[in-house]
Amino acid sequence: MAETGSDQTGDMKHDSVSSPGVSDQEKEMATNAFEAFKAGSYDESLRHLDSLQELNKEDYKITMNKAITEFYKSGQTTTSTLKQALMTLKNQMHTAVDDIDGLDDVENSILYYNQAVIHYHMRQYSEAISIGEKLYQFLEPFEEKFAQAVCFLLVDLYLLTFQPEKALHLLAVLEKLTVKDGNSKNGKGESTNKESSALKAEFTAMIEAAKSKMHQYKVRAYIQMKSLKACKREIKSVMNTSGNSAPSLFLKSNFEYLRGNYRKAVKLLNSSNIAEHPGPLKTGECVRCMFWNNLGCIHFAMGKHNLGLFYFKKALQENDHICAQLGDGSNGQAAKKFTGIPMCALLANKRYELLYNCGIQLLHIGRPLAAFECLMEAVQVYHSNPRLWLRLAECCITANKGSSEQETKGLPSKKGIVQAVVGQGYHRKIVLASQSTQNTIYSEGQSAAIPVASMEFAAICLRNALLLLPEHLQHDSKPDNGSKSCSQSGSTESGSETSDACSGKTQEGDKFIPAAPSSPLRKQEVENLRCSILACSAYVALALGDNLMALNHAEKLLHQTKLSGSLKFLGHLYAAEALISLDRISDAIAHLNPENVTDVSLGVSSSEQDQGSDKGDLEPVESSGKQTPLCYPSSVSSARATMLFNLGSAYCLRSEYEKARKCLHQAASMVNTKEIPPEAILLGVYLELQNGNTQLALQIIKRNQLLPSVKPASSPDLRQKPLPFQSSQPVQPIQTPSSFTQVQRK
């Protein structure tokens, strides 16, 4: 947009020249000032403008041109000063964009356009869009070049704010405008001399450049919509007009990335000659930073998380290096104040987007504390992203339960259930391991709001995430077939066919939730995200000993209309554990019915897919082939065995030991011997001791396995016809096996 601003300054000079009622002397001064500005002689241009202002002190355009000349004289580094100067001029005119009915004085539109450009570079996109849309309403009186600049600015803003449908509509208008202008110019130039033919050639080149730019914008819009068929057609046009330039190869790589052709995407990126691309001072983009980031996104989608993290770190290093070169401070500190950095390079700093990506990658690798540090820095900028708050909570959860490769702290299965042997001979004692409590206090007197990777802070993060999700979307009964097609990964052609229908439907009630730096959350994505947040909230509440809150979250989770099998399984487990802690054993038994488990699929389709856009925008796509954690049931049979183990614990609390033993043996027959949790073995020891079978209990301890092994058909009635039970006296509850009640990290 820097070049657009420069060209527009020239337009302002011409306006002051051609204004009615201007003397020949003023015209000459204005022309001299404009020529000096184009030549880069800003001091000379300012002298002419000062002389012009002495003759005409009422013309605000002279003051505006002086402010812009001063801005260019400083190397475009005084963005805040220019913004303030333009705001002062607008206040002096006593007009506001919202009050404009017809823009009778079209010349004032340039002032508003320059304000929109500054808002754009300062990442104040909503303000820039409001100005641009007002200017767009009165496009006809503008010159062709200025009208084109307004349209391109709006298209860029729509794509940056993830409104591809509006961008495509505007591009269609812009295409008609360009073709119309081209035909009119060609018609006027039939009887011209050599000078006019040169101007005609220059105009033709400008038209071709505009068409090439429009093709690139269309590809970006189709990529955001995941409309692969339309995108494929436009990419051919881009390659024909732009050739193998870095922007066109980046777009094609992003297209192959969405299709799942990761190796081809990497090959296209490597073939782009990023060394020849202009730096951020001219384009406002750090291409090397985007190159490393895109490689990180691709390898993340391939499941190569360590390699993806390596590329993200390379992108961060490149970004910090560019920021240090552009401004006085490192890590983009100067960009926060918008001083010392050329305006066109303000958008080059992608530090927080890259930190977001690094955090997600570290979380998948199993380094939650490092991920927490990255995401805590990113949340300072993207605090309205509910998915980011969920990620922070997952960091806290993972950090407090250990990595997925580790066993639970209290019951290491490798050593069996024997913790120690004390004494010798007749006084020899076997000390059995006891499950450690999860309610560890990490704050130690400090406020839970202090950003520490603790379960207390996880509860705050999850509360923030829930508050950022609107309730009305959940109860909307309107069909959302189009949104489903749009929100899917787009790796198949069938998903792309319906995306054009999405473009028409989404404009009606765009109740999308902003989730910068990724695309806004659609209705189905909001519902899926709500389910994940509720599951994590129930888990955290159980870990903190807040059983009533845990039960509340679990019941809300189970009442969600579209709930995946994995989260439904967890919802029943968490509700049962909370009810057992509240001494409501009968209610807990209803949740622990194995028939409640019919599916344990982990796929919640699109709520967790953070797709990036064409510039390597800094959201990686989470791979659909997620690996099942070691602590999570891999099949319905294994999940039902988990329910039976916990059901046995519930029966044991009611002193119904025979039923507990049947549940235990039936569950053991449904899974591999190595998959039996140590808590179940301890329960078997307890049941044998209650039955007086001391020798059998000792055999279970020594062999570290349940005895005797029972075939699955030995107790079929337990799963099909659970018997009614009478309430019993309050018994100290035992916790359900922690290795099975862990939340699945999304």
Side-chain angles (χ1 to χ4, degrees):
M1 293 308 301
E3 295 178 359
T4 304
S6 176
D7 293 338
Q8 205 49 55
T9 308
D11 290 339
M12 285 185 279
K13 305 290 184 180
H14 285 301
D15 286 336
S16 62
V17 172
S18 60
S19 298
V22 178
S23 65
D24 293 338
Q25 183 182 4
E26 291 175 343
K27 288 182 180 180
E28 183 180 359
M29 288 182 179
T31 303
N32 292 335
F34 176 59
E35 295 297 331
F37 178 86
K38 286 202 301 183
S41 303
Y42 302 122
D43 290 328
E44 183 182 351
S45 179
L46 285 171
R47 285 196 299 271
H48 290 299
L49 287 171
D50 288 335
S51 302
L52 186 61
Q53 194 168 35
E54 291 179 1
L55 297 176
N56 191 352
K57 296 182 179 180
E58 301 297 327
D59 194 349
Y60 80 94
K61 289 183 291 182
I62 300 175
T63 306
M64 178 173 61
N65 286 344
K66 284 180 63 177
I68 292 174
T69 306
E70 291 280 1
F71 174 68
Y72 276 87
K73 181 182 175 181
S74 69
Q76 304 183 34
T77 57
T78 55
T79 307
S80 297
T81 306
L82 177 60
K83 180 184 178 184
Q84 187 61 40
L86 295 178
M87 186 65 67
T88 303
L89 283 174
K90 191 190 76 170
N91 293 335
Q92 289 176 357
M93 294 163 56
H94 302 290
T95 60
V97 176
D98 296 333
D99 300 331
I100 296 174
D101 295 325
L103 268 181
D104 296 328
D105 186 6
V106 179
E107 296 173 355
N108 295 342
S109 61
I110 297 177
L111 171 62
Y112 296 117
Y113 172 77
N114 282 330
Q115 281 187 312
V117 170
I118 293 175
H119 285 307
Y120 166 85
H121 286 288
M122 297 178 76
R123 302 176 192 255
Q124 298 167 351
Y125 300 134
S126 57
E127 291 87 347
I129 288 176
S130 64
I131 296 174
E133 288 179 344
K134 280 289 183 181
L135 291 174
Y136 175 73
Q137 294 176 8
F138 313 104
L139 205 62
E140 290 186 4
F142 299 154
E143 295 182 5
E144 293 87 350
K145 191 176 180 182
F146 179 58
Q148 192 179 88
V150 171
C151 290
F152 274 128
L153 175 62
L154 262 180
V155 169
D156 227 333
L157 288 165
Y158 285 145
L159 291 177
L160 285 171
T161 52
F162 297 96
Q163 302 181 64
E165 297 88 357
K166 291 184 178 180
L168 286 174
H169 172 73
L170 199 57
L171 284 169
V173 174
L174 190 57
E175 195 170 17
K176 293 178 182 178
L177 184 66
T178 304
V179 172
K180 179 182 177 182
D181 293 339
N183 294 334
S184 62
K185 291 286 182 181
N186 291 334
K188 292 178 182 178
E190 290 177 356
S191 59
T192 56
N193 52 21
K194 294 181 179 180
E195 184 179 351
S196 298
S197 63
L199 292 174
K200 179 180 175 182
E202 182 182 352
F203 180 78
T204 304
M206 188 184 74
I207 292 293
E208 291 301 321
K211 287 182 178 179
S212 175
K213 197 174 181 181
M214 283 188 284
H215 285 307
Q216 293 185 14
Y217 278 128
K218 284 183 180 180
V219 172
R220 291 177 56 186
Y222 287 132
I223 283 176
Q224 286 190 7
M225 296 169 62
K226 302 177 185 63
S227 181
L228 297 184
K229 283 188 176 180
C231 186
K232 188 176 182 179
R233 291 193 298 267
E234 285 299 326
I235 280 181
K236 291 180 180 179
S237 301
V238 170
M239 300 306 291
N240 291 333
T241 55
S242 303
N244 289 330
S245 62
S248 58
L249 288 173
F250 271 51
L251 288 172
K252 192 171 183 181
S253 173
N254 200 334
F255 169 69
E256 297 296 341
Y257 164 74
L258 286 180
R259 296 178 68 186
N261 299 333
Y262 302 127
R263 295 186 182 277
K264 189 173 182 180
V266 172
K267 186 177 180 180
L268 287 167
L269 278 180
N270 289 329
S271 64
S272 61
N273 193 354
I274 59 177
E276 296 181 357
H277 194 271
L281 284 176
K282 291 188 177 180
T283 63
E285 297 171 342
C286 177
V287 180
R288 292 183 62 85
C289 172
M290 292 188 291
F291 171 79
W292 294 118
N293 172 77
N294 287 358
L295 283 177
C297 290
I298 294 170
H299 285 86
F300 177 77
M302 294 170 69
K304 300 178 180 180
H305 300 306
N306 284 288
L307 194 54
L309 179 63
F310 169 78
Y311 289 127
F312 284 140
K313 286 184 176 180
K314 292 275 286 185
L316 260 177
Q317 292 172 4
E318 192 68 37
N319 184 78
D320 293 345
H321 176 67
I322 289 295
C323 290
Q325 286 183 338
L326 292 174
D328 299 328
S330 60
N331 297 336
Q333 293 298 322
K336 294 180 180 179
K337 302 178 182 178
F338 304 106
T339 56
I341 295 181
M343 183 182 72
C344 58
L346 288 175
L347 292 174
N349 182 21
K350 303 291 185 182
R351 175 173 176 78
Y352 295 100
E353 293 94 325
L354 290 169
L355 284 171
Y356 187 106
N357 280 359
C358 284
I360 300 297
Q361 196 73 275
L362 287 164
L363 187 57
H364 278 75
I365 291 172
R367 296 171 57 187
L369 294 178
F372 182 82
E373 296 298 324
C374 291
L375 296 180
M376 273 308 302
E377 194 167 348
V379 83
Q380 299 175 35
V381 177
Y382 302 114
H383 48 78
S384 61
N385 185 347
R387 186 188 286 134
L388 178 52
W389 287 107
L390 173 61
R391 297 289 178 258
L392 278 169
E394 289 176 344
C395 289
C396 300
I397 292 170
T398 309
N400 285 285
K401 77 178 182 58
S403 63
S404 58
E405 288 84 8
Q406 296 174 344
E407 298 295 333
T408 54
K409 298 177 183 178
L411 300 176
S413 61
K414 291 183 179 179
K415 297 181 180 179
I417 61 173
V418 178
Q419 185 175 11
V421 178
V422 181
Q424 294 180 352
Y426 182 76
H427 299 286
R428 184 170 177 266
K429 305 286 185 182
I430 297 176
V431 180
L432 300 181
S434 60
Q435 184 176 357
S436 60
T437 59
Q438 297 177 343
N439 306 342
T440 309
I441 304 299
Y442 293 91
S443 56
E444 296 182 356
Q446 296 179 350
S447 171
I450 295 177
V452 181
S454 63
M455 299 299 271
E456 292 86 354
F457 188 70
I460 295 176
C461 294
L462 292 168
R463 195 176 305 124
N464 290 345
L466 272 179
L467 289 174
L468 288 169
L469 294 181
E471 289 292 334
H472 62 272
L473 283 180
Q474 181 184 3
H475 303 292
D476 191 1
S477 59
K478 193 175 180 179
D480 194 38
N481 299 329
S483 294
K484 275 193 232 175
S485 301
C486 283
S487 62
Q488 290 174 356
S489 64
S491 58
T492 60
E493 294 294 334
S494 60
S496 65
E497 291 175 359
T498 55
S499 58
D500 291 333
C502 294
S503 62
K505 292 184 180 180
T506 52
Q507 292 187 15
E508 295 179 1
D510 270 355
K511 301 176 182 179
F512 298 161
I513 309 304
S518 58
S519 57
L521 298 169
R522 299 176 185 269
K523 176 188 171 184
Q524 184 57 44
E525 293 171 329
V526 170
E527 293 178 354
N528 294 337
L529 188 61
R530 191 193 313 277
C531 294
S532 298
I533 294 171
L534 287 171
C536 287
S537 299
Y539 177 87
V540 170
L542 284 173
L544 294 174
D546 193 348
N547 298 307
L548 280 174
M549 186 60 70
L551 180 61
N552 182 33
H553 288 311
E555 289 179 344
K556 280 185 179 179
L557 175 64
L558 293 172
H559 282 90
Q560 297 301 305
T561 54
K562 296 180 181 179
L563 187 63
S564 68
S566 59
L567 293 182
K568 183 179 180 182
F569 165 69
L570 291 177
H572 283 297
L573 274 185
Y574 296 157
E577 184 169 350
L579 287 167
I580 286 176
S581 298
L582 294 170
D583 198 27
R584 294 168 56 183
I585 312 299
S586 299
D587 295 333
I589 288 174
H591 282 284
L592 292 173
N593 185 353
E595 296 298 326
N596 291 333
V597 182
T598 57
D599 179 27
V600 289
S601 60
L602 302 179
V604 187
S605 66
S606 58
S607 68
E608 307 304 326
Q609 290 180 356
D610 302 332
Q611 307 279 3
S613 65
D614 66 298
K615 297 183 182 176
D617 295 315
L618 308 152
E619 274 296 315
V621 177
E622 297 189 13
S623 60
S624 57
K626 299 176 184 176
Q627 295 181 353
T628 305
L630 298 180
C631 61
Y632 197 84
S634 57
S635 63
V636 174
S637 176
S638 180
R640 288 185 172 182
T642 302
M643 298 289 268
L644 285 169
F645 282 132
N646 288 300
L647 185 60
S649 299
Y651 285 145
C652 188
L653 290 174
R654 296 178 57 165
S655 302
E656 299 181 12
Y657 302 122
E658 190 58 34
K659 292 178 182 177
R661 186 180 291 104
K662 287 182 179 180
C663 289
L664 198 61
H665 291 167
Q666 183 178 352
S669 66
M670 296 170 67
V671 295
N672 194 303
T673 306
K674 297 180 180 179
E675 296 181 13
I676 298 176
E679 290 87 352
I681 296 176
L682 275 178
L683 179 60
V685 172
Y686 178 79
L687 290 173
E688 297 305 330
L689 289 175
Q690 283 288 343
N691 203 28
N693 298 329
T694 308
Q695 294 300 322
L696 187 55
L698 286 173
Q699 288 184 31
I700 294 175
I701 294 172
K702 290 178 181 179
R703 299 187 183 185
N704 194 32
Q705 63 182 15
L706 290 174
L707 294 175
S709 59
V710 184
K711 296 181 180 180
S714 60
S715 55
D717 293 336
L718 180 64
R719 292 163 53 193
Q720 298 177 359
K721 300 177 182 179
L723 300 175
F725 304 104
Q726 298 178 356
S727 60
S728 60
Q729 296 180 354
V731 183
Q732 179 64 29
I734 62 174
Q735 296 183 356
T736 54
S738 61
S739 59
F740 286 98
T741 57
Q742 294 170 355
V743 66
Q744 164 60 26
R745 189 175 68 212
K746 295 293 172 192

